[in-house]
Amino acid sequence: MGAVVSHASAAAPPPPPTGYAPFVDPAAAEAPPPAEKDAAADEEKVDYMNLPCPVPYEEIQREAFMSLKPDVFEGLRFDFTKMLNPFFGLSHSGFGCIVTILVRLSVSMGSMELPSQGADVIKVPTSNYEFGANFMDPKMMLIGRVSHDGRVTGRVKCDLLENLCLKINAQLTNEPHYSQGMFSFDYKGKDFRSQFQLGNNAFYGGNYIQSVTKNLSLGTEAFWLGQQRKSGVGFVARYDTKKMVATGQIATTGLVSLSYVQKVSEKVSLASDFMYNHMAKDVTASFGYDYMLRQCRLRGKIDTNGVVSALLEERLTPGVNFVLSAELDHWKKDYKFGFGMVLGE
């Protein structure tokens, strides 16, 4: 005969005697919690000898620019880009049509606004054809464009030294006094940037921007326009973190500009800006957004002048994008719509 033992019927262990307390290691009891406060304190410390290099002076508002200045257009636009080799390409483009083969061909068709004495907007049909070429290597970039009306534009960027860069921008037209040229020497330091500019019409300018902390950078600029006997001085401040970017700019020309960008997520950004021009007695504020989806990018803005604009870039297949553009000016009753195709990477 076998015996069966039931665990359910086993007697419970006796309770601990009165006054009993489990043994606790005194060293473990006095050990501090994980050093979260120490990590936060380390983040707050600023190593003034190892600050990051700030963004270029002319790009302090680049995040706000992406949301608040979408490249809207009217009519038809086509853009084709193809690299001929890793360094050289051609392009063709036009208003309503832009083709970039790097050589680049651009064609566009739309309308052009003419100045009028009243509040009405006068538009006339227009078109444009442009041919260009790009050349790029690690130390030099050359970009050239020529349009059907004889306008020629060119850009050169050349690294003279490891931290010294030369930039040349030029535009030649058939109209007198509209041709322009500008030379810029950019120096990139460890925690600062400086630039000297020399242009036609006896233009001289310079700017300097310095990182003060790892998030804050301050800068100043000055210019002299000899032909018009005008000069100006400006100051900027930029504060950026992983979640936001705030900038401020003021100049003796009467310009005050403020911008703020909030990075809601990796794909969504909200932006706003405020612009005051004392000379023109004009005040404008705007709010914009930049929303990136898996296959498209949507940008748009609305401002206090009653202008609403949006730009949609839809990726149909690799190398083929469809573009929709709209701008509505309710006060002037001026409405612009455009669509286009972008071929090539």
Side-chain angles (χ1 to χ4, degrees), residues 81-113:
T81 306
K82 181 177 178 60
M83 296 295 295
L84 301 184
N85 60 49
F87 301 105
F88 186 72
L90 301 176
S91 70
H92 302 266
S93 67
F95 183 69
C97 177
I98 301 177
V99 184
T100 305
I101 317 172
L102 258 85
V103 175
R104 167 177 178 148
L105 172 66
S106 174
V107 179
S108 57
M109 293 179 288
S111 62
M112 180 178 62
E113 296 184 8

PDB file of all heavy atoms in Angstrom, residues 81-113:
ATOM      1  N   THR A  81      16.807  66.332 -62.204  1.00  0.00           N
ATOM      2  CA  THR A  81      18.199  66.335 -61.763  1.00  0.00           C
ATOM      3  C   THR A  81      18.833  64.985 -62.057  1.00  0.00           C
ATOM      4  O   THR A  81      18.248  63.945 -61.759  1.00  0.00           O
ATOM      5  CB  THR A  81      18.297  66.622 -60.255  1.00  0.00           C
ATOM      6  OG1 THR A  81      17.604  67.822 -59.962  1.00  0.00           O
ATOM      7  CG2 THR A  81      19.752  66.739 -59.828  1.00  0.00           C
ATOM      8  N   LYS A  82      20.022  65.032 -62.621  1.00  0.00           N
ATOM      9  CA  LYS A  82      20.746  63.787 -62.881  1.00  0.00           C
ATOM     10  C   LYS A  82      22.233  64.059 -62.796  1.00  0.00           C
ATOM     11  O   LYS A  82      22.739  64.969 -63.453  1.00  0.00           O
ATOM     12  CB  LYS A  82      20.390  63.213 -64.255  1.00  0.00           C
ATOM     13  CG  LYS A  82      21.103  61.905 -64.561  1.00  0.00           C
ATOM     14  CD  LYS A  82      20.665  61.336 -65.877  1.00  0.00           C
ATOM     15  CE  LYS A  82      21.432  60.059 -66.189  1.00  0.00           C
ATOM     16  NZ  LYS A  82      21.226  59.028 -65.158  1.00  0.00           N
ATOM     17  N   MET A  83      22.917  63.288 -61.981  1.00  0.00           N
ATOM     18  CA  MET A  83      24.362  63.425 -61.875  1.00  0.00           C
ATOM     19  C   MET A  83      25.037  62.710 -63.042  1.00  0.00           C
ATOM     20  O   MET A  83      24.751  61.554 -63.323  1.00  0.00           O
ATOM     21  CB  MET A  83      24.848  62.814 -60.556  1.00  0.00           C
ATOM     22  CG  MET A  83      24.335  63.511 -59.310  1.00  0.00           C
ATOM     23  SD  MET A  83      24.922  65.202 -59.151  1.00  0.00           S
ATOM     24  CE  MET A  83      26.679  64.918 -58.958  1.00  0.00           C
ATOM     25  N   LEU A  84      25.908  63.444 -63.728  1.00  0.00           N
ATOM     26  CA  LEU A  84      26.653  62.827 -64.815  1.00  0.00           C
ATOM     27  C   LEU A  84      27.802  61.982 -64.292  1.00  0.00           C
ATOM     28  O   LEU A  84      28.148  60.960 -64.876  1.00  0.00           O
ATOM     29  CB  LEU A  84      27.189  63.908 -65.760  1.00  0.00           C
ATOM     30  CG  LEU A  84      26.124  64.804 -66.403  1.00  0.00           C
ATOM     31  CD1 LEU A  84      26.769  65.761 -67.385  1.00  0.00           C
ATOM     32  CD2 LEU A  84      25.071  63.956 -67.102  1.00  0.00           C
ATOM     33  N   ASN A  85      28.411  62.450 -63.189  1.00  0.00           N
ATOM     34  CA  ASN A  85      29.412  61.665 -62.477  1.00  0.00           C
ATOM     35  C   ASN A  85      29.409  62.182 -61.042  1.00  0.00           C
ATOM     36  O   ASN A  85      28.669  63.105 -60.717  1.00  0.00           O
ATOM     37  CB  ASN A  85      30.799  61.767 -63.140  1.00  0.00           C
ATOM     38  CG  ASN A  85      31.316  63.192 -63.191  1.00  0.00           C
ATOM     39  OD1 ASN A  85      31.300  63.906 -62.185  1.00  0.00           O
ATOM     40  ND2 ASN A  85      31.785  63.598 -64.355  1.00  0.00           N
ATOM     41  N   PRO A  86      30.199  61.613 -60.140  1.00  0.00           N
ATOM     42  CA  PRO A  86      30.145  62.063 -58.748  1.00  0.00           C
ATOM     43  C   PRO A  86      30.456  63.531 -58.541  1.00  0.00           C
ATOM     44  O   PRO A  86      30.180  64.066 -57.476  1.00  0.00           O
ATOM     45  CB  PRO A  86      31.192  61.171 -58.057  1.00  0.00           C
ATOM     46  CG  PRO A  86      31.263  59.948 -58.893  1.00  0.00           C
ATOM     47  CD  PRO A  86      31.043  60.416 -60.294  1.00  0.00           C
ATOM     48  N   PHE A  87      31.025  64.231 -59.528  1.00  0.00           N
ATOM     49  CA  PHE A  87      31.426  65.618 -59.327  1.00  0.00           C
ATOM     50  C   PHE A  87      30.673  66.611 -60.218  1.00  0.00           C
ATOM     51  O   PHE A  87      30.569  67.773 -59.894  1.00  0.00           O
ATOM     52  CB  PHE A  87      32.932  65.781 -59.593  1.00  0.00           C
ATOM     53  CG  PHE A  87      33.784  64.934 -58.705  1.00  0.00           C
ATOM     54  CD1 PHE A  87      34.383  63.792 -59.198  1.00  0.00           C
ATOM     55  CD2 PHE A  87      33.970  65.256 -57.375  1.00  0.00           C
ATOM     56  CE1 PHE A  87      35.173  63.002 -58.384  1.00  0.00           C
ATOM     57  CE2 PHE A  87      34.756  64.468 -56.561  1.00  0.00           C
ATOM     58  CZ  PHE A  87      35.355  63.336 -57.060  1.00  0.00           C
ATOM     59  N   PHE A  88      30.162  66.152 -61.346  1.00  0.00           N
ATOM     60  CA  PHE A  88      29.631  67.096 -62.324  1.00  0.00           C
ATOM     61  C   PHE A  88      28.213  66.723 -62.699  1.00  0.00           C
ATOM     62  O   PHE A  88      27.876  65.560 -62.839  1.00  0.00           O
ATOM     63  CB  PHE A  88      30.514  67.096 -63.576  1.00  0.00           C
ATOM     64  CG  PHE A  88      30.115  68.145 -64.586  1.00  0.00           C
ATOM     65  CD1 PHE A  88      30.362  69.486 -64.348  1.00  0.00           C
ATOM     66  CD2 PHE A  88      29.493  67.765 -65.755  1.00  0.00           C
ATOM     67  CE1 PHE A  88      29.993  70.441 -65.282  1.00  0.00           C
ATOM     68  CE2 PHE A  88      29.129  68.708 -66.694  1.00  0.00           C
ATOM     69  CZ  PHE A  88      29.379  70.046 -66.456  1.00  0.00           C
ATOM     70  N   GLY A  89      27.356  67.747 -62.861  1.00  0.00           N
ATOM     71  CA  GLY A  89      25.986  67.500 -63.257  1.00  0.00           C
ATOM     72  C   GLY A  89      25.440  68.660 -64.057  1.00  0.00           C
ATOM     73  O   GLY A  89      25.985  69.750 -64.065  1.00  0.00           O
ATOM     74  N   LEU A  90      24.332  68.424 -64.750  1.00  0.00           N
ATOM     75  CA  LEU A  90      23.697  69.445 -65.566  1.00  0.00           C
ATOM     76  C   LEU A  90      22.259  69.612 -65.125  1.00  0.00           C
ATOM     77  O   LEU A  90      21.661  68.709 -64.557  1.00  0.00           O
ATOM     78  CB  LEU A  90      23.729  69.046 -67.047  1.00  0.00           C
ATOM     79  CG  LEU A  90      25.105  68.820 -67.665  1.00  0.00           C
ATOM     80  CD1 LEU A  90      24.945  68.351 -69.094  1.00  0.00           C
ATOM     81  CD2 LEU A  90      25.923  70.089 -67.611  1.00  0.00           C
ATOM     82  N   SER A  91      21.659  70.762 -65.424  1.00  0.00           N
ATOM     83  CA  SER A  91      20.279  70.982 -65.046  1.00  0.00           C
ATOM     84  C   SER A  91      19.560  71.842 -66.056  1.00  0.00           C
ATOM     85  O   SER A  91      20.155  72.691 -66.706  1.00  0.00           O
ATOM     86  CB  SER A  91      20.206  71.642 -63.669  1.00  0.00           C
ATOM     87  OG  SER A  91      20.671  72.962 -63.747  1.00  0.00           O
ATOM     88  N   HIS A  92      18.266  71.606 -66.171  1.00  0.00           N
ATOM     89  CA  HIS A  92      17.389  72.397 -67.012  1.00  0.00           C
ATOM     90  C   HIS A  92      16.175  72.762 -66.173  1.00  0.00           C
ATOM     91  O   HIS A  92      15.647  71.929 -65.456  1.00  0.00           O
ATOM     92  CB  HIS A  92      16.929  71.600 -68.237  1.00  0.00           C
ATOM     93  CG  HIS A  92      18.051  71.101 -69.069  1.00  0.00           C
ATOM     94  ND1 HIS A  92      18.535  71.783 -70.154  1.00  0.00           N
ATOM     95  CD2 HIS A  92      18.802  69.986 -68.953  1.00  0.00           C
ATOM     96  CE1 HIS A  92      19.520  71.105 -70.689  1.00  0.00           C
ATOM     97  NE2 HIS A  92      19.708  70.005 -69.979  1.00  0.00           N
ATOM     98  N   SER A  93      15.718  73.976 -66.258  1.00  0.00           N
ATOM     99  CA  SER A  93      14.557  74.352 -65.460  1.00  0.00           C
ATOM    100  C   SER A  93      13.831  75.510 -66.098  1.00  0.00           C
ATOM    101  O   SER A  93      14.344  76.185 -66.983  1.00  0.00           O
ATOM    102  CB  SER A  93      14.971  74.730 -64.034  1.00  0.00           C
ATOM    103  OG  SER A  93      15.725  75.916 -64.048  1.00  0.00           O
ATOM    104  N   GLY A  94      12.615  75.754 -65.620  1.00  0.00           N
ATOM    105  CA  GLY A  94      11.825  76.873 -66.089  1.00  0.00           C
ATOM    106  C   GLY A  94      10.690  77.110 -65.140  1.00  0.00           C
ATOM    107  O   GLY A  94      10.383  76.275 -64.316  1.00  0.00           O
ATOM    108  N   PHE A  95      10.058  78.267 -65.214  1.00  0.00           N
ATOM    109  CA  PHE A  95       8.960  78.538 -64.287  1.00  0.00           C
ATOM    110  C   PHE A  95       7.803  77.663 -64.672  1.00  0.00           C
ATOM    111  O   PHE A  95       7.251  77.757 -65.741  1.00  0.00           O
ATOM    112  CB  PHE A  95       8.544  80.006 -64.357  1.00  0.00           C
ATOM    113  CG  PHE A  95       7.472  80.322 -63.380  1.00  0.00           C
ATOM    114  CD1 PHE A  95       7.757  80.307 -62.037  1.00  0.00           C
ATOM    115  CD2 PHE A  95       6.189  80.595 -63.795  1.00  0.00           C
ATOM    116  CE1 PHE A  95       6.786  80.588 -61.128  1.00  0.00           C
ATOM    117  CE2 PHE A  95       5.204  80.880 -62.885  1.00  0.00           C
ATOM    118  CZ  PHE A  95       5.504  80.880 -61.545  1.00  0.00           C
ATOM    119  N   GLY A  96       7.411  76.819 -63.768  1.00  0.00           N
ATOM    120  CA  GLY A  96       6.463  75.799 -64.094  1.00  0.00           C
ATOM    121  C   GLY A  96       7.209  74.551 -64.510  1.00  0.00           C
ATOM    122  O   GLY A  96       6.688  73.467 -64.422  1.00  0.00           O
ATOM    123  N   CYS A  97       8.463  74.690 -64.892  1.00  0.00           N
ATOM    124  CA  CYS A  97       9.255  73.524 -65.268  1.00  0.00           C
ATOM    125  C   CYS A  97      10.708  73.761 -64.907  1.00  0.00           C
ATOM    126  O   CYS A  97      11.308  74.720 -65.316  1.00  0.00           O
ATOM    127  CB  CYS A  97       9.142  73.247 -66.759  1.00  0.00           C
ATOM    128  SG  CYS A  97      10.149  71.888 -67.297  1.00  0.00           S
ATOM    129  N   ILE A  98      11.269  72.889 -64.100  1.00  0.00           N
ATOM    130  CA  ILE A  98      12.677  72.991 -63.724  1.00  0.00           C
ATOM    131  C   ILE A  98      13.302  71.628 -63.941  1.00  0.00           C
ATOM    132  O   ILE A  98      12.816  70.650 -63.413  1.00  0.00           O
ATOM    133  CB  ILE A  98      12.833  73.410 -62.250  1.00  0.00           C
ATOM    134  CG1 ILE A  98      12.170  74.749 -62.019  1.00  0.00           C
ATOM    135  CG2 ILE A  98      14.295  73.472 -61.865  1.00  0.00           C
ATOM    136  CD1 ILE A  98      12.223  75.183 -60.586  1.00  0.00           C
ATOM    137  N   VAL A  99      14.336  71.537 -64.722  1.00  0.00           N
ATOM    138  CA  VAL A  99      15.006  70.271 -64.992  1.00  0.00           C
ATOM    139  C   VAL A  99      16.445  70.381 -64.544  1.00  0.00           C
ATOM    140  O   VAL A  99      17.153  71.252 -64.984  1.00  0.00           O
ATOM    141  CB  VAL A  99      14.954  69.930 -66.486  1.00  0.00           C
ATOM    142  CG1 VAL A  99      15.559  68.584 -66.734  1.00  0.00           C
ATOM    143  CG2 VAL A  99      13.531  69.981 -66.979  1.00  0.00           C
ATOM    144  N   THR A 100      16.861  69.523 -63.640  1.00  0.00           N
ATOM    145  CA  THR A 100      18.232  69.568 -63.157  1.00  0.00           C
ATOM    146  C   THR A 100      18.925  68.279 -63.548  1.00  0.00           C
ATOM    147  O   THR A 100      18.564  67.237 -63.060  1.00  0.00           O
ATOM    148  CB  THR A 100      18.265  69.749 -61.636  1.00  0.00           C
ATOM    149  OG1 THR A 100      17.513  70.888 -61.296  1.00  0.00           O
ATOM    150  CG2 THR A 100      19.688  69.926 -61.152  1.00  0.00           C
ATOM    151  N   ILE A 101      19.836  68.353 -64.445  1.00  0.00           N
ATOM    152  CA  ILE A 101      20.623  67.180 -64.848  1.00  0.00           C
ATOM    153  C   ILE A 101      22.019  67.330 -64.278  1.00  0.00           C
ATOM    154  O   ILE A 101      22.854  66.502 -64.451  1.00  0.00           O
ATOM    155  CB  ILE A 101      20.677  67.058 -66.382  1.00  0.00           C
ATOM    156  CG1 ILE A 101      19.318  67.320 -66.981  1.00  0.00           C
ATOM    157  CG2 ILE A 101      21.179  65.704 -66.798  1.00  0.00           C
ATOM    158  CD1 ILE A 101      19.333  67.396 -68.479  1.00  0.00           C
ATOM    159  N   LEU A 102      22.169  68.400 -63.626  1.00  0.00           N
ATOM    160  CA  LEU A 102      23.425  68.864 -63.017  1.00  0.00           C
ATOM    161  C   LEU A 102      24.602  68.889 -63.953  1.00  0.00           C
ATOM    162  O   LEU A 102      25.684  68.586 -63.534  1.00  0.00           O
ATOM    163  CB  LEU A 102      23.767  68.018 -61.797  1.00  0.00           C
ATOM    164  CG  LEU A 102      23.424  68.772 -60.518  1.00  0.00           C
ATOM    165  CD1 LEU A 102      22.000  68.622 -60.123  1.00  0.00           C
ATOM    166  CD2 LEU A 102      24.311  68.372 -59.395  1.00  0.00           C
ATOM    167  N   VAL A 103      24.601  69.206 -65.086  1.00  0.00           N
ATOM    168  CA  VAL A 103      23.963  70.261 -65.881  1.00  0.00           C
ATOM    169  C   VAL A 103      22.469  70.312 -65.522  1.00  0.00           C
ATOM    170  O   VAL A 103      21.825  69.310 -65.453  1.00  0.00           O
ATOM    171  CB  VAL A 103      24.145  70.022 -67.375  1.00  0.00           C
ATOM    172  CG1 VAL A 103      23.397  71.016 -68.167  1.00  0.00           C
ATOM    173  CG2 VAL A 103      25.603  69.949 -67.687  1.00  0.00           C
ATOM    174  N   ARG A 104      21.907  71.582 -65.432  1.00  0.00           N
ATOM    175  CA  ARG A 104      20.537  71.788 -65.007  1.00  0.00           C
ATOM    176  C   ARG A 104      19.748  72.570 -66.051  1.00  0.00           C
ATOM    177  O   ARG A 104      20.203  73.566 -66.581  1.00  0.00           O
ATOM    178  CB  ARG A 104      20.511  72.552 -63.680  1.00  0.00           C
ATOM    179  CG  ARG A 104      19.135  73.073 -63.335  1.00  0.00           C
ATOM    180  CD  ARG A 104      19.129  73.743 -61.996  1.00  0.00           C
ATOM    181  NE  ARG A 104      17.809  74.266 -61.729  1.00  0.00           N
ATOM    182  CZ  ARG A 104      17.270  74.361 -60.541  1.00  0.00           C
ATOM    183  NH1 ARG A 104      17.953  73.965 -59.500  1.00  0.00           N
ATOM    184  NH2 ARG A 104      16.075  74.865 -60.371  1.00  0.00           N
ATOM    185  N   LEU A 105      18.528  72.091 -66.315  1.00  0.00           N
ATOM    186  CA  LEU A 105      17.617  72.763 -67.236  1.00  0.00           C
ATOM    187  C   LEU A 105      16.339  73.073 -66.486  1.00  0.00           C
ATOM    188  O   LEU A 105      15.779  72.200 -65.839  1.00  0.00           O
ATOM    189  CB  LEU A 105      17.318  71.871 -68.443  1.00  0.00           C
ATOM    190  CG  LEU A 105      16.245  72.361 -69.397  1.00  0.00           C
ATOM    191  CD1 LEU A 105      16.690  73.632 -70.088  1.00  0.00           C
ATOM    192  CD2 LEU A 105      15.907  71.288 -70.406  1.00  0.00           C
ATOM    193  N   SER A 106      15.876  74.322 -66.548  1.00  0.00           N
ATOM    194  CA  SER A 106      14.702  74.734 -65.804  1.00  0.00           C
ATOM    195  C   SER A 106      13.736  75.472 -66.708  1.00  0.00           C
ATOM    196  O   SER A 106      14.135  76.344 -67.473  1.00  0.00           O
ATOM    197  CB  SER A 106      15.110  75.655 -64.639  1.00  0.00           C
ATOM    198  OG  SER A 106      13.975  76.173 -64.006  1.00  0.00           O
ATOM    199  N   VAL A 107      12.472  75.083 -66.641  1.00  0.00           N
ATOM    200  CA  VAL A 107      11.422  75.743 -67.408  1.00  0.00           C
ATOM    201  C   VAL A 107      10.263  76.023 -66.470  1.00  0.00           C
ATOM    202  O   VAL A 107       9.906  75.185 -65.653  1.00  0.00           O
ATOM    203  CB  VAL A 107      10.935  74.870 -68.585  1.00  0.00           C
ATOM    204  CG1 VAL A 107       9.832  75.562 -69.343  1.00  0.00           C
ATOM    205  CG2 VAL A 107      12.088  74.521 -69.479  1.00  0.00           C
ATOM    206  N   SER A 108       9.667  77.217 -66.562  1.00  0.00           N
ATOM    207  CA  SER A 108       8.553  77.548 -65.685  1.00  0.00           C
ATOM    208  C   SER A 108       7.531  78.362 -66.444  1.00  0.00           C
ATOM    209  O   SER A 108       7.869  79.142 -67.326  1.00  0.00           O
ATOM    210  CB  SER A 108       9.037  78.329 -64.463  1.00  0.00           C
ATOM    211  OG  SER A 108       9.720  79.485 -64.876  1.00  0.00           O
ATOM    212  N   MET A 109       6.263  78.161 -66.102  1.00  0.00           N
ATOM    213  CA  MET A 109       5.173  78.904 -66.711  1.00  0.00           C
ATOM    214  C   MET A 109       4.197  79.322 -65.621  1.00  0.00           C
ATOM    215  O   MET A 109       3.781  78.502 -64.812  1.00  0.00           O
ATOM    216  CB  MET A 109       4.463  78.050 -67.768  1.00  0.00           C
ATOM    217  CG  MET A 109       5.325  77.749 -68.988  1.00  0.00           C
ATOM    218  SD  MET A 109       4.486  76.728 -70.196  1.00  0.00           S
ATOM    219  CE  MET A 109       4.487  75.159 -69.325  1.00  0.00           C
ATOM    220  N   GLY A 110       3.867  80.598 -65.611  1.00  0.00           N
ATOM    221  CA  GLY A 110       2.959  81.114 -64.601  1.00  0.00           C
ATOM    222  C   GLY A 110       2.572  82.532 -64.933  1.00  0.00           C
ATOM    223  O   GLY A 110       2.351  82.878 -66.098  1.00  0.00           O
ATOM    224  N   SER A 111       2.505  83.388 -63.914  1.00  0.00           N
ATOM    225  CA  SER A 111       2.147  84.783 -64.121  1.00  0.00           C
ATOM    226  C   SER A 111       3.072  85.680 -63.323  1.00  0.00           C
ATOM    227  O   SER A 111       3.700  85.244 -62.360  1.00  0.00           O
ATOM    228  CB  SER A 111       0.687  85.029 -63.720  1.00  0.00           C
ATOM    229  OG  SER A 111       0.502  84.761 -62.342  1.00  0.00           O
ATOM    230  N   MET A 112       3.152  86.926 -63.734  1.00  0.00           N
ATOM    231  CA  MET A 112       3.980  87.915 -63.069  1.00  0.00           C
ATOM    232  C   MET A 112       3.111  89.099 -62.667  1.00  0.00           C
ATOM    233  O   MET A 112       2.273  89.561 -63.448  1.00  0.00           O
ATOM    234  CB  MET A 112       5.113  88.380 -63.994  1.00  0.00           C
ATOM    235  CG  MET A 112       6.032  89.426 -63.394  1.00  0.00           C
ATOM    236  SD  MET A 112       7.383  89.884 -64.522  1.00  0.00           S
ATOM    237  CE  MET A 112       6.439  90.561 -65.904  1.00  0.00           C
ATOM    238  N   GLU A 113       3.292  89.592 -61.440  1.00  0.00           N
ATOM    239  CA  GLU A 113       2.520  90.721 -60.951  1.00  0.00           C
ATOM    240  C   GLU A 113       3.156  92.030 -61.392  1.00  0.00           C
ATOM    241  O   GLU A 113       4.375  92.193 -61.338  1.00  0.00           O
ATOM    242  CB  GLU A 113       2.427  90.677 -59.420  1.00  0.00           C
ATOM    243  CG  GLU A 113       1.676  89.479 -58.889  1.00  0.00           C
ATOM    244  CD  GLU A 113       1.530  89.513 -57.383  1.00  0.00           C
ATOM    245  OE1 GLU A 113       1.886  90.543 -56.782  1.00  0.00           O
ATOM    246  OE2 GLU A 113       1.074  88.517 -56.808  1.00  0.00           O
TER     247      GLU A 113
END
